Amino acid sequence: MKKVVQKFGGTSLASQKSRTQAAKHVLRSKKSGSFPVAVVSAIGRKGDAYATDTLINMAKKTSETISPREKDLIMSCGEIISTVIMVQTLKTLGIEARAFSGAQAGIITDNKFGEATVKSVYPQKILAAIEKKIVPVIAGFQGINENGEITTLGRGGSDTTASILASVLDAECIEIYTDVEGVMTADPSLVETADVIKETNYNEVCELAYQGARVIHPRAAEIAMQKDIPLKIKSTFEEKPGTIIENKITINEDRPVTGVASRKQISFVKISSDNPTEYATCLKIFEFLSQQRISVDFINIRPEAITFIVKKDLSEDVKNTLETKNFNYTISDDFTKVSVVGGGMTGRPGVMAKVVKTLTNKNIDIYQTTDSHTTISCLIKKKYEKKALKALHKAFALGNN
Ligand code: ADP
Ligand code: MG
């Protein structure tokens, strides 16, 4: 039987009206002969009653620290609530559905609470439901480890759940439903002239996602790429084609840049050294951090200082390591990494020059740059994020400029 995995994000589930709209997409697939498997996030966004942040805050209000195990347990509740409410909503449209937690769906992860990796999936229960024409509604963002403990997959984890299930179930397509029209040339909440990227390939979308376009999680795009499962990003609320992502889509070589993105949830770490012996010791930081599976980015190694960025929510762990190992360091949350991304920039001269000129003309200081085949990134002060994105978006003639 043909199957499609449909993932609904928090805002798509925020009200009964939006849940009904989401359910209609499930109904449409069911009618069209591609059996739907739904994956849901927690209802709403930050501040809403069952949103992930609300649940953590509730626990922290009672006692400030929370163990990773308990944190994952409470965080997993948001998605579980969504599954049941979505099953109830589907019933109102005459669709028989069944709710599954990550554990019930057979999603087995490693032991890393808060950022677990899926190791294997035992989808028998899901397949049994499909066999009986019952739509499975699965809690995204979570699994269970081999000791029977509930784990979560980190931010954007529901996208990953959708891709993993699509891969295991051999789905013909993954549909990610969200509150914007698709993957856009910039975050539309920061750049008003952003427009939908109608089609792209996994590499480009992975890179955009990795550089901060949170509309899709990069891991989810990677998993879809491995099995070449077409990935569609669409609006829950508007009947529009959205973005289609497939390997066979070729990049428009005439256009060096496809989109701009920014990462502001970062901490900038600087380790200073006064002499060569100290410098050699400083380099060990990368070993210490990798032992803790903390990945670093934007690394710059100079004799007098080593700088890099880490995800902001890992900065406490980094701080602890730097303290215990007696490093001379500073950590700042004042920076943003802005990037221009495009598969067409490979081998094209002048892109970096244009980025630098554009930011400089706007009096935005650049503290560091990196470039790869598909991306040029600059570290700038957080307060200039919007200004920089708008300027770059315009300079590369993206969207409705
Ligand atoms: P969901 O709850 O549906 O997973 P997210 O908040 O994770 O929704 O992702 C959707 C949001 O991603 C949009 O509301 C938009 O502000 C933001 N976003 C950032 N960059 C982009 C981009 N390049 N294209 C589309 N949306 C983007
Ligand atoms: Mg998301």
Side-chain angles (χ1 to χ4, degrees):
M1 193 190 312
K2 282 189 194 167
K3 296 174 213 83
V4 55
V5 174
Q6 299 182 308
K7 180 249 160 179
F8 300 97
T11 40
S12 305
L13 303 166
S15 66
Q16 196 47 50
K17 192 171 165 220
S18 56
R19 289 191 286 271
T20 303
Q21 276 177 297
K24 283 183 180 160
H25 296 292
V26 176
L27 181 64
R28 183 177 29 78
S29 286
K30 198 158 178 273
K31 280 185 176 160
S32 75
S34 200
F35 200 83
V37 174
V39 173
V40 290
S41 297
I43 291 175
R45 276 232 175 117
K46 204 171 178 165
D48 286 330
Y50 306 112
T52 310
D53 301 271
T54 314
L55 298 171
I56 300 172
N57 287 340
M58 206 194 306
K60 283 192 174 169
K61 224 190 271 171
T62 318
S63 177
E64 216 171 277
T65 55
I66 181 164
S67 75
R69 177 185 179 275
E70 272 67 26
K71 192 175 173 191
D72 272 18
L73 198 52
I74 194 162
M75 281 202 291
S76 70
C77 297
E79 278 71 16
I80 296 177
I81 293 169
S82 283
T83 59
V84 176
I85 303 302
M86 199 57 189
V87 164
Q88 298 299 94
T89 307
L90 288 166
K91 259 193 213 168
T92 65
L93 298 185
I95 302 171
E96 204 183 338
R98 185 170 296 162
F100 294 90
S101 67
Q104 289 169 329
I107 298 171
I108 313 296
T109 73
D110 64 6
N111 300 327
K112 195 155 194 269
F113 289 114
E115 197 89 36
T117 302
V118 177
K119 291 283 169 210
S120 46
V121 181
Y122 296 94
Q124 288 82 352
K125 282 189 177 175
I126 299 175
L127 289 168
I130 296 172
E131 198 62 35
K132 290 186 199 135
K133 302 274 189 296
I134 298 170
V135 174
V137 180
I138 298 142
F141 172 70
Q142 57 179 270
I144 188 169
N145 71 16
E146 276 163 357
N147 304 321
E149 304 287 359
I150 304 294
T151 52
T152 65
L153 311 181
R155 292 281 144 144
S158 294
D159 297 341
T160 308
T161 303
S163 281
I164 285 175
L165 286 174
S167 175
V168 171
L169 299 171
D170 237 344
E172 56 168 6
C173 184
I174 305 163
E175 295 177 350
I176 305 279
Y177 286 92
T178 186
D179 61 343
V180 286
E181 235 186 88
V183 182
M184 306 184 77
T185 51
D187 183 339
S189 69
L190 297 173
V191 181
E192 295 79 7
T193 50
D195 197 11
V196 182
I197 300 167
K198 292 194 175 61
E199 48 175 37
T200 176
N201 62 24
Y202 299 104
N203 278 331
E204 219 173 44
V205 93
C206 271
E207 195 56 29
L208 269 172
Y210 184 63
Q211 299 307 342
R214 71 169 194 277
V215 65
I216 176 81
H217 194 270
R219 183 88 192 100
E222 273 168 29
I223 296 163
M225 172 162 64
Q226 280 158 14
K227 273 195 125 180
D228 201 6
I229 307 172
L231 183 59
K232 290 180 187 168
I233 320 261
K234 299 169 108 176
S235 161
T236 302
F237 312 107
E238 292 175 273
E239 284 299 330
K240 297 219 167 134
T243 303
I244 168 92
I245 302 149
E246 275 182 285
N247 265 342
K248 64 175 183 240
I249 290 168
T250 50
I251 296 300
N252 180 358
E253 299 287 339
D254 299 338
R255 164 169 279 193
V257 171
T258 305
V260 298
S262 58
R263 285 180 64 194
K264 59 170 168 280
Q265 300 301 335
I266 56 166
S267 295
F268 181 60
V269 185
K270 182 173 179 183
I271 302 174
S272 309
S273 63
D274 292 334
N275 59 59
T277 337
E278 225 181 277
Y279 172 67
T281 320
C282 286
L283 284 172
K284 288 219 165 92
I285 186 63
F286 298 116
E287 207 178 302
F288 298 140
L289 294 178
S290 77
Q291 279 160 4
Q292 294 177 62
R293 291 168 64 187
I294 295 175
S295 62
V296 298
D297 183 20
F298 232 152
I299 303 167
N300 191 332
I301 301 175
R302 283 170 287 130
E304 69 283 5
I306 293 167
T307 58
F308 55 87
I309 62 172
V310 290
K311 276 196 211 164
K312 195 174 161 193
D313 51 10
L314 296 176
S315 73
E316 273 307 308
D317 295 347
V318 175
K319 217 182 252 178
N320 289 338
T321 307
L322 292 164
E323 287 288 337
T324 41
K325 306 281 180 191
N326 277 323
F327 283 106
N328 180 12
Y329 74 95
T330 53
I331 296 189
S332 168
D333 292 344
D334 284 346
F335 293 91
T336 296
K337 182 187 184 190
V338 292
S339 306
V340 299
V341 174
M345 79 170 67
T346 313
R348 266 176 86 125
V351 183
M352 175 66 101
K354 193 164 180 175
V355 168
V356 172
K357 193 172 159 209
T358 305
L359 296 180
T360 312
N361 281 348
K362 292 280 174 191
N363 296 320
I364 300 170
D365 288 332
I366 302 168
Y367 292 83
Q368 203 162 304
T369 62
T370 50
D371 65 339
S372 72
H373 288 314
T374 53
T375 305
I376 289 174
S377 304
C378 298
L379 196 68
I380 60 163
K381 279 281 164 76
K382 198 174 268 183
K383 61 181 175 190
Y384 297 127
E385 179 186 41
K386 203 167 169 174
K387 193 172 167 187
L389 289 172
K390 280 184 167 182
L392 292 168
H393 195 256
K394 191 162 187 195
F396 287 97
L398 301 174
N400 307 310
N401 278 300

